[in-house]
Amino acid sequence: MSYPKRTAALASAAALAGAAVLLAAPAAHADVVDVNYRCQTPIGVKSAVSPIDMQGVRSGSGYKITMSWQKGVSSSPVELGKGAMTPSASIRLGGADSGTLPVSGPPNAAAIPANTPIKISDLSGTYTPAKTGKVTFTPGTLVIKALGTTTTCTPTNDPKPGLTLDVTAAGGSSSSSSSSSSSSSGGSATSSSGGQLPQTGPEDSAIALGTLGGTVLLAGAAGALWLTRRGQTARR
């Protein structure tokens, strides 16, 4: 093979390698879902509908899962002063995994007027999978504690998953392995096997894989340039 042809072949191989890396990027899909809540409050039953946005970003050996409420839910007959209300919730796992993930957040940063829908702060928890495959995250029960009382809000419309992550378990465990543990408190759900996960966050993975693809292309171009110069030197 002539040097020009070899150079072209190496450049094509580098381009294909970079494309293969990008095509191998794990999938992450999120939807804003409407959740119809039935809230059992100290003064009776109340109903509320709130769109919820869910996001997953890799954090250490797991994923930080965050729930964001677009509208307030329930209300209080009296004003809730700053820091008087503490929210928490559960997320149902589905697909390749099962169980629940507890999420929590800070108390209210500002006073909430009486008879006003309570805006829930962003709630988050850490999920560490033990199974390989697509895992879904669906909004579950919301709990609001304020002034010594507890309000429990339960979804009544069987909401669809708000987030789907394509994850790989440590050691490449299949979906037939043991399920992740469930917890009703704290801020994490940890699988029995645990382990290091690949980069699969929707933004972080694109950056990391794009960088790797660029490195492959630069390496191929450098090799092709070296062979071309070597061929020119040999012909002299």
Side-chain angles (χ1 to χ4, degrees):
M1 180 183 294
S2 66
Y3 285 106
K5 290 182 178 179
R6 184 178 299 176
T7 299
L10 286 171
S12 297
L16 288 173
V21 169
L22 293 176
L23 288 174
H29 180 75
D31 286 317
V32 176
V33 295
D34 288 332
V35 179
N36 296 348
Y37 282 111
R38 180 183 185 276
C39 299
Q40 184 64 55
T41 79
I43 59 173
V45 176
K46 295 188 176 183
S47 299
V49 178
S50 177
I52 294 179
D53 180 40
M54 303 179 71
Q55 298 294 329
V57 178
R58 186 179 175 184
S59 176
S61 61
Y63 291 96
K64 180 180 179 181
I65 308 299
T66 301
M67 297 179 68
S68 299
W69 274 258
Q70 307 299 310
K71 292 182 179 180
V73 298
S74 190
S75 62
S76 171
V78 297
E79 178 179 283
L80 298 178
K82 178 181 178 181
M85 182 273 295
T86 302
S88 62
S90 63
I91 297 175
R92 292 187 287 111
L93 306 178
D97 209 344
S98 61
T100 58
L101 169 68
V103 291
S104 58
N108 55 306
I112 302 173
N115 301 312
T116 300
I118 298 174
K119 178 65 172 66
I120 306 299
S121 59
D122 288 354
L123 306 184
S124 62
T126 301
Y127 167 69
T128 304
K131 299 180 179 181
T132 296
K134 292 185 182 298
V135 178
T136 61
F137 300 81
T138 303
T141 301
L142 168 67
V143 176
I144 301 172
K145 293 186 177 182
L147 304 179
T149 66
T150 299
T151 293
T152 302
C153 299
T154 305
T156 60
N157 61 328
D158 191 22
K160 65 179 182 179
L163 174 67
T164 300
L165 290 178
D166 194 352
V167 301
T168 302
S173 300
S174 66
S175 59
S176 60
S177 63
S178 60
S179 63
S180 64
S181 61
S182 300
S183 173
S184 60
S185 62
S188 66
T190 306
S191 310
S192 56
S193 62
Q196 189 68 24
L197 293 171
Q199 186 87 25
T200 59
E203 295 181 359
D204 294 342
S205 61
I207 295 173
L209 292 170
T211 301
L212 179 57
T215 301
V216 172
L217 290 174
L218 288 173
L225 180 60
W226 180 81
L227 287 173
T228 301
R229 290 181 175 175
R230 183 180 179 184
Q232 292 174 348
T233 303
R235 286 197 295 273
R236 291 175 185 171

